[in-house]
Amino acid sequence: MAEPSVDGGPDAGSTLLGQLLADLNEQLDRGDGYSVDKFVLPEEGDEPAAEMYLLFHPDPPKSAREIDDEGNRSSFYFRPPGEAMIVYTPSTGRVHVRAGNRKLRHAIAERFIETALDQTYSSQPVDFQAYDISHFLNGLDLETPDFDDVVIDRAQVIRADVN
């Protein structure tokens, strides 16, 4: 949590966001390639207006094996792109960070609050953000098809592409 703000967070391209990227580059030590985009989320129902920052960062190095036409194996190393999402609600001061792991979430939240919002980061535990996913648990059930020559025990959705 941060302090509520009337003015909101930093604007896209501001020096505060530039400093945030520099601080993350120094703290995470993953090399160059940080960028951030800002989006305004309008008020919707009970949810107040918010600001969303999409942070693009380099992930740690990874490796993959490659086999050539003669069957020779080799490894190549690469740095995949990573991203995190910061949602800041100025009216409540709530900062919600979604990232690949807990350590990265805390590092991004701390740097965002201290650098971009110019506030003191609190180490107090925050409440757990829960999402209602119950409609996904039973809303995708499939009827079992009936065939004369085949017995099907169960039918289930194993992949859903949502646009």
Side-chain angles (χ1 to χ4, degrees), residues 4-155:
S5 169
V6 176
D7 300 330
D11 290 326
S14 69
T15 57
L16 287 174
L17 285 182
Q19 184 62 41
L20 170 67
L21 297 177
D23 286 352
L24 285 171
N25 188 359
E26 182 179 326
Q27 183 173 358
L28 298 177
D29 193 27
R30 295 182 175 178
D32 295 331
Y34 292 84
S35 65
V36 66
D37 292 327
K38 178 183 177 181
F39 302 90
V40 176
L41 304 174
E43 182 178 341
E44 185 175 318
D46 293 341
E47 286 294 317
E51 299 170 349
M52 180 175 66
Y53 299 86
L54 286 181
L55 172 68
F56 301 97
H57 60 85
D59 261 348
K62 305 273 188 224
S63 67
R65 288 196 160 207
E66 186 175 51
I67 301 175
D68 64 14
D69 293 337
E70 286 82 41
N72 299 317
R73 294 180 184 194
S74 63
S75 294
F76 66 94
Y77 299 90
F78 62 99
R79 187 179 292 271
E83 63 183 31
M85 178 181 66
I86 305 165
V87 177
Y88 172 56
T89 309
S91 62
T92 63
R94 183 175 75 175
V95 176
H96 185 169
V97 178
R98 301 285 298 170
N101 59 55
R102 181 183 175 116
K103 182 179 178 182
L104 186 58
R105 283 192 301 271
H106 285 282
I108 291 171
E110 178 182 358
R111 297 294 3 118
F112 181 78
I113 291 171
E114 288 187 354
T115 304
L117 299 179
D118 194 24
Q119 296 182 23
T120 304
Y121 180 74
S122 170
S123 60
Q124 294 178 345
V126 295
D127 59 344
F128 180 73
Q129 181 72 35
Y131 298 96
D132 180 15
I133 60 169
S134 61
H135 60 281
F136 291 113
L137 299 177
N138 57 17
L140 300 176
D141 291 341
L142 300 175
E143 289 186 30
T144 306
D146 186 25
F147 296 108
D148 294 333
D149 56 343
V150 176
V151 176
I152 298 176
D153 293 331
R154 179 180 61 165

